[in-house]
Amino acid sequence: MIDKLKGFIDIQVPVDTCSLRCHYCYITQKHLFDSKLPKIKYTPEQVGKALARERLGGTYHINMCGNGETLLPPEMTGIVRAILEQGHYIMIVTNGTITRRFEEMAQYPEELRRRLGFKFSFHYLELKKRKLLDAFFANIERVRQAGCSFSLEVTPSDELIPYIDELKEESLKRVGALPHLTVARDETNPDFVLLTEMSREDYIKTWSTFNSPLFDFKIKIFLEKRNEFCYNGLWGGILSLGSGRLRACDNNNIDKDIFADYTSPITLRPVGICNKAHCHNGHSWLTLGMIPSMETPLYASMRDRIDNQGHHWLNDDMRQFLSQKIKDSNTLLSSEEEAQIRRRAKMGNLTYNAEAAIKNAIRHVIRR
């Protein structure tokens, strides 16, 4: 029987350096390559206990990503294992070059490996320039043979256009299917506009040849303001691995170090109204169901492919788990409760004090 998807947490790993130097990357745009590796102050045991299923109220999908290469900190192997041992499902964003980490995680018990997946960022030009293509695809095969899930993803940049045909050929040869595509965005702009010299129409025409559901959905919602009621915050949020601070998406209405005292309740509150120009990572938040009223593809379709041998990139456990919607494991607020939260959000008052409807919309999660 498949685990029920209770919520989603995006864990930010505090690493701002990388083994590659992609021009479209955030840390390139911000000139952060000289940053040193962080010292993560909390032990794997503390992180694992802080994210216990009993404390969160169920099984979560957890994404782990750094501004730089997620797997550079040596502590990551122990932290990932500690979270998996709590019963959650994890996917890690990685450039696929830190071979030692994949070797270490391939030694996890099989029961943990079935709930672990990797989003391999296929930085073709950098990997080719540094002669790392063989090592990159060897690591994909290593985790695949270990029973983990994987997904291959390309950032569609203007500089990559002359190499599209050979990139496709390489992907088909190595993993039996075309990669998924994300959407390149200018993170020096507060609205995260498209990072391209092309028109939106030409950008879509150029990259739609990959037939990627991920690209299709991301470009569809790009710069599309969300006005529906959002449960982000109540059903998960963004967690800093460095500080232990948990917040709802890009709205700071949750702010507590949940690692410092893992016996205390976690207070979760819904965002209600999004104050951003568009849902920056809607391919995950929205497809997992943070806006229950919105019809979206399943998140599994954002990551899975069937290769030319008939094999899925996501294993059966991961694919079934990520084919659920969070709303199906949670109770929706009433229209009156949603309306009161909307009114408070518009007034900028997110204190959620004494009103009964607001109290009902706060979930204090702990069962220890």
Side-chain angles (χ1 to χ4, degrees):
M1 184 175 179
I2 197 66
D3 294 305
K4 293 292 186 182
L5 173 62
K6 186 68 175 180
F8 172 54
I9 291 177
D10 190 8
I11 294 183
Q12 296 180 329
V13 180
V15 55
D16 286 320
T17 190
C18 190
S19 52
L20 302 180
R21 297 290 186 271
C22 305
H23 65 278
Y24 44 75
C25 179
Y26 170 84
I27 56 176
T28 301
Q29 296 175 29
K30 296 289 187 179
H31 307 290
L32 297 175
F33 279 116
D34 293 333
S35 300
K36 295 181 180 179
L37 285 180
K39 176 64 178 177
I40 299 175
K41 65 178 180 179
Y42 291 107
T43 66
E45 181 183 18
Q46 287 174 303
V47 173
K49 288 183 176 179
L51 295 174
R53 274 195 293 192
E54 294 84 359
R55 192 183 193 204
L56 293 177
T59 305
Y60 272 54
H61 174 46
I62 293 176
N63 185 70
M64 305 188 78
C65 184
N67 286 333
E69 170 46 37
T70 311
L71 294 177
L72 274 173
E75 301 95 333
M76 288 304 297
T77 303
I79 290 170
V80 171
R81 177 165 183 162
I83 298 173
L84 287 170
E85 288 174 343
Q86 297 299 328
H88 303 299
Y89 290 68
I90 297 177
M91 292 203 79
I92 301 170
V93 179
T94 175
N95 67 21
T97 64
I98 313 301
T99 298
R100 179 178 296 181
R101 300 290 177 266
F102 301 109
E103 292 173 341
E104 293 166 348
M105 288 184 280
Q107 299 306 309
Y108 290 164
E110 180 182 1
E111 194 271 333
L112 303 186
R113 300 197 306 266
R114 297 294 299 174
R115 290 184 281 106
L116 176 61
F118 299 88
K119 301 173 184 176
F120 284 94
S121 298
F122 189 15
H123 302 298
Y124 180 69
L125 295 181
E126 271 291 289
L127 292 169
K128 182 179 179 180
K129 180 176 73 175
R130 297 173 183 271
K131 303 185 185 307
L132 290 172
L133 282 170
D134 287 341
F136 175 81
F137 284 106
N139 285 328
I140 293 179
E141 185 61 22
R142 178 174 284 108
V143 300
R144 194 176 200 176
Q145 289 298 318
C148 302
S149 298
F150 81 95
S151 188
L152 189 66
E153 179 181 307
V154 166
T155 300
S157 65
D158 292 357
E159 290 78 5
L160 191 55
I161 292 173
Y163 303 90
I164 285 178
D165 289 342
E166 65 179 72
L167 183 152
K168 286 181 176 180
E169 182 179 353
E170 191 76 27
S171 183
L172 288 168
K173 179 178 70 174
R174 302 278 197 159
V175 295
L178 295 178
H180 280 297
L181 299 183
T182 184
V183 172
R185 63 195 189 195
D186 183 356
E187 299 203 3
T188 64
N189 185 303
D191 290 333
F192 288 5
V193 298
L194 282 177
L195 183 63
T196 180
E197 297 298 322
M198 293 188 286
S199 68
R200 178 187 175 93
E201 291 73 21
D202 287 342
Y203 186 81
I204 294 172
K205 182 179 179 180
T206 298
W207 296 108
S208 61
T209 60
F210 283 77
N211 297 314
S212 166
L214 174 63
F215 178 78
D216 293 343
F217 185 71
K218 290 198 73 166
I219 200 67
K220 177 183 177 181
I221 63 172
F222 202 83
L223 294 182
E224 187 176 85
K225 181 74 173 70
R226 301 259 59 95
N227 296 306
E228 306 93 336
F229 190 90
C230 181
Y231 280 74
N232 200 318
L234 188 63
W235 294 347
I238 295 177
L239 175 62
S240 169
L241 186 60
S243 69
R245 297 289 175 179
L246 177 65
R247 58 191 173 90
C249 194
D250 290 314
N251 297 268
N252 293 307
N253 70 336
I254 302 175
D255 193 15
K256 176 184 179 179
D257 184 348
I258 69 168
F259 297 152
D261 178 7
Y262 47 76
T263 64
S264 64
I266 301 174
T267 301
L268 302 174
R269 307 183 180 109
V271 168
I273 296 177
C274 181
N275 61 10
K276 300 299 181 182
H278 66 281
C279 188
H280 297 162
N281 287 307
H283 66 284
S284 53
W285 300 115
L286 300 180
T287 59
L288 288 169
M290 286 296 179
I291 297 179
S293 63
M294 184 178 178
E295 292 292 327
T296 70
L298 297 173
Y299 184 59
S301 71
M302 303 290 102
R303 296 300 168 195
D304 198 22
R305 290 279 207 189
I306 299 176
D307 68 19
N308 50 23
Q309 300 298 312
H311 301 132
H312 286 268
W313 286 359
L314 302 185
N315 65 40
D316 291 344
D317 292 350
M318 185 71 78
R319 190 171 69 255
Q320 291 180 57
F321 186 70
L322 297 182
S323 294
Q324 302 177 77
K325 296 286 187 178
I326 298 173
K327 67 178 181 180
D328 296 329
S329 300
N330 289 280
T331 302
L332 297 179
L333 305 176
S334 69
S335 56
E336 292 79 11
E337 289 168 339
E338 288 189 6
Q340 289 199 40
I341 293 168
R342 280 178 176 273
R343 285 196 292 270
R344 283 188 173 273
K346 287 180 180 178
M347 292 186 296
N349 181 0
L350 295 178
T351 57
Y352 296 87
N353 48 27
E355 292 187 34
I358 303 302
K359 284 185 177 180
N360 289 338
I362 301 178
R363 183 158 64 96
H364 299 285
V365 188
I366 189 168
R367 287 164 175 77
R368 284 191 160 184

